[in-house]
Amino acid sequence: MTHYDVPLYEGPAHHPTPVAEHPDGIRLLEVQGVRVLLAPRPGPVSAGLLFRVGRADETLATAGLTHLVEHLALHRHGLSDLHYNGATAATYTHFHVDGDLADVAAHLNGVCAALRDLPLERLETEREILRTEAAHRGHGANHQMALWRYGARGHGLLSYPEHGLWHLGPEHVRHWARTRFTRENAVLWITSDTLPARLDLTLPTGPPHPVPQVHSALPQTPAYFRGASGVVVMDAVVRRSTAAGLFADVLGRVLFRELRQEGGFSYTATADYSPRDAGFATITALADALPQKQDAVVGGFVDVLAALRAGRVAQADLDAVRTAKLRRFETPDLAAALLPAHALSLLTGHRRASVAELTAELHAATVADLHAVAEQVSADALLQVPTRGADWAGFAEAPQQSAEIVTGRRFPALDDSGETLIIHPQAVTLTAPGNAVTVKYAECAALLVRPDGARHLTGFDGFTLTVEPTLFPVTPADLAVIDAGVPAHAVVPMPPRPPEAVPQPNTGRARPTLWKRARRRLRQG
């Protein structure tokens, strides 16, 4: 048996409170104030302890805080024969373990003990580990969609680096663990019909936290923006429903048929349905393309969306995806397989239907229901295109510049870039021929401060700009105006840059454009 540095407890877990029996055979108990879901299956036991806290609960300045707590909570387990891991998602954190009941209890006890008393002596080391992980982490084709849809807060933070890893101290991490990783914000699931002996789920107490408020950075939809070459991506937020899940599968099926099998334009063409919160889900679709085929893929992609919006949903496609979904309910030990989804629904406040109800909804779904979802998708669509745009298809270009330019002290660039920096007591603007970006201090999601004087500001709307003292004739007094205007909680002290990373005017080599990265992913370092 695996040994842990934390002791095993004899606690009140031996006296659980029955709460409910789900129609699918899932038992809901309350153990030491934590909701616990049980459903048996043969073989090794799996368990997952979920907390209702994730990336979307942070700010851009504290991004990575939840990830830090997760890593610290798992540190003491070290090398183990157990299969275990942790994951930080947008709205939840999940600690998962496989083993026998005794191993599962020991692991869960260790996680809870660590959350009660984090090994903060490991903070600097874990920070370095997470920064290394981020430096080598790949990003999916849809990585920028959250940024453009939500801006630099809430769900939009999934598109941004974890800036909090540079400066958050022990008091920040300890407070986050004590207020967010609480019994009221936790659900445990176990693939067993009994609780493990000597299980101790002692956790801090605190108010339950609802899912984060949703903000939009898009003034109108459907909208588009130009993204990476070689891929077309679309997402849309729709109301959660069985019909919406079916529509996503039909959309993926039709895209694959039209763009790969018949057109030969794409290798990958697919779609996905992912719950966002209790009431809404995100439908995401993508198709790849070679450079010479990108226009054809954009056209074919838009044609598929238009056909479904017009009601041309084939009964054969609906029947095919419906059959595939119904087959999932034939999974052996179905109740145990449903435990993670039920746990997440409890965390987010979503009423999860029984298998009988879901089966009835699948049988009852019609092409008219899917047509209604297609209309929702078309109205809310955000399209990432690699080419000239999508105005011709009725998509409005997402904002490329700020609507407001402040007045104040003007600082023309020291080189011939044509850029001008304008500093005002309430905002800063960076202008260039045909473009302007403004960040208001009161709406600044993060201000990255470099020892060499550079200031990088990101607004809640996702627009960014950089003030480089080597490129504009600003003085420490001018920088002090920015520093005084931005709220202290948004300030992120950054480490020194290598001399070669500090841009210089008139060097004969390209320097970074300080405004063109508006609403683009920021790089760490």
Side-chain angles (χ1 to χ4, degrees):
M1 177 177 172
T2 304
H3 294 283
Y4 296 91
D5 295 331
V6 296
L8 299 180
Y9 291 88
E10 294 286 355
H14 295 287
H15 306 285
T17 302
V19 177
E21 184 84 24
H22 194 274
D24 296 328
I26 296 173
R27 295 170 59 206
L28 173 59
L29 311 175
E30 186 174 294
V31 179
Q32 295 171 270
V34 176
R35 292 163 291 180
V36 180
L37 294 169
L38 298 177
R41 78 173 178 206
V45 174
S46 295
L49 181 59
L50 285 85
F51 292 92
R52 222 305 296 139
V53 59
R55 289 289 311 273
D57 295 278
E58 303 165 346
T59 67
L60 183 55
T62 64
L65 183 51
T66 310
H67 203 175
L68 260 177
V69 172
E70 175 222 312
H71 267 234
L72 289 167
L74 290 174
H75 162 66
R76 290 180 179 137
H77 296 286
L79 294 175
S80 170
D81 295 331
L82 280 179
H83 175 72
Y84 71 89
N85 58 34
T88 300
T91 58
Y92 66 91
T93 301
H94 192 189
F95 297 97
H96 179 268
V97 60
D98 296 319
D100 61 31
L101 272 177
D103 288 336
V104 165
H107 182 83
L108 294 173
N109 290 354
V111 169
C112 291
L115 290 171
R116 296 193 303 268
D117 183 21
L118 289 172
L120 293 175
E121 70 278 3
R122 287 279 304 179
L123 183 57
E124 291 302 322
T125 302
E126 294 301 332
R127 252 205 283 255
E128 286 295 317
I129 291 172
L130 289 177
R131 287 201 291 262
T132 302
E133 176 187 338
H136 296 90
R137 183 188 300 134
H139 297 290
N142 65 334
H143 177 67
Q144 289 195 6
M145 301 299 287
L147 184 161
W148 284 84
R149 180 173 288 280
Y150 299 111
R153 52 183 167 178
H155 291 269
L157 296 180
L158 296 175
S159 295
Y160 286 87
E162 295 174 327
H163 290 318
L165 299 180
W166 293 103
H167 70 107
L168 294 173
E171 67 282 0
H172 299 99
V173 179
R174 186 183 296 112
H175 177 76
W176 198 247
R178 288 178 176 173
T179 58
R180 298 291 180 145
F181 289 82
T182 62
R183 66 187 67 172
E184 291 82 1
N185 289 289
V187 175
L188 170 65
W189 60 268
I190 310 176
T191 59
S192 170
D193 56 359
T194 60
L195 289 169
R198 305 173 71 192
L199 176 66
D200 181 27
L201 301 178
T202 301
L203 289 166
T205 186
H209 291 280
V211 293
Q213 182 180 355
V214 175
H215 304 272
S216 177
L218 295 172
Q220 67 182 99
T221 54
Y224 78 90
F225 69 96
R226 293 177 180 85
S229 178
V231 65
V232 179
V233 187
M234 182 228 59
D235 75 14
V237 178
V238 299
R239 291 200 170 274
R240 290 182 66 168
S241 68
T242 298
L246 286 166
F247 173 83
D249 289 349
V250 167
L251 174 59
R253 180 182 174 88
V254 177
L255 285 172
F256 186 84
R257 182 170 61 231
E258 296 294 324
L259 299 182
R260 176 170 172 166
Q261 292 181 319
E262 296 184 7
F265 305 134
S266 299
Y267 175 77
T268 300
T270 186
D272 173 72
Y273 172 90
S274 177
R276 187 190 70 184
D277 49 43
F280 293 90
T282 302
I283 292 178
T284 305
L286 66 89
D288 57 8
L290 293 172
Q292 63 270 26
K293 298 290 184 68
Q294 289 181 162
D295 284 337
V297 171
V298 173
F301 201 104
V302 169
D303 286 346
V304 168
L305 293 174
L308 296 174
R309 183 186 65 233
R312 294 199 289 275
V313 180
Q315 184 68 50
D317 288 328
L318 170 56
D319 292 340
V321 301
R322 176 174 24 226
T323 298
K325 283 189 177 294
L326 287 169
R327 284 194 186 122
R328 297 177 189 176
F329 296 143
E330 300 171 4
T331 303
D333 309 305
L334 178 61
L338 294 174
L339 284 174
H342 277 281
L344 188 55
S345 292
L346 277 178
L347 279 181
T348 60
H350 174 68
R351 179 195 171 275
R352 185 163 183 86
S354 67
V355 170
E357 291 171 321
L358 291 173
T359 301
E361 290 173 5
L362 285 169
H363 283 297
T366 66
V367 293
D369 296 327
L370 271 62
H371 178 209
V373 176
E375 291 179 324
Q376 291 183 55
V377 169
S378 296
D380 192 68
L382 174 63
L383 188 65
Q384 173 185 310
V385 294
T387 53
R388 54 189 172 86
D391 311 73
W392 54 272
F395 290 78
E397 186 174 22
Q400 302 296 308
Q401 63 182 31
S402 301
E404 182 178 353
I405 299 177
V406 301
T407 58
R409 293 197 64 191
R410 301 176 63 88
F411 304 88
L414 295 172
D415 56 18
D416 58 359
S417 67
E419 296 171 344
T420 299
L421 181 70
I422 308 171
I423 297 179
H424 182 275
Q426 295 180 349
V428 60
T429 293
L430 190 61
T431 68
N435 208 317
V437 170
T438 296
V439 177
K440 297 180 180 180
Y441 305 142
E443 299 175 7
C444 182
L447 168 65
L448 310 188
V449 178
R450 293 284 185 183
D452 56 39
R455 300 292 187 268
H456 192 105
L457 298 92
T458 302
F460 287 141
D461 56 7
F463 281 103
T464 71
L465 62 84
T466 302
V467 178
E468 291 281 6
T470 54
L471 301 180
F472 299 93
V474 294
T475 67
D478 299 316
L479 297 176
V481 174
I482 298 174
D483 296 343
V486 174
H489 60 75
V491 177
V492 180
M494 298 292 287
R497 293 182 287 184
E500 63 272 16
V502 179
Q504 301 294 329
N506 302 318
T507 60
R509 60 184 177 87
R511 69 167 176 83
T513 302
L514 305 180
W515 54 268
K516 196 172 183 179
R517 288 195 175 272
R519 302 178 60 84
R520 297 291 178 92
R521 177 180 180 268
L522 312 181
R523 292 190 180 274
Q524 298 189 88

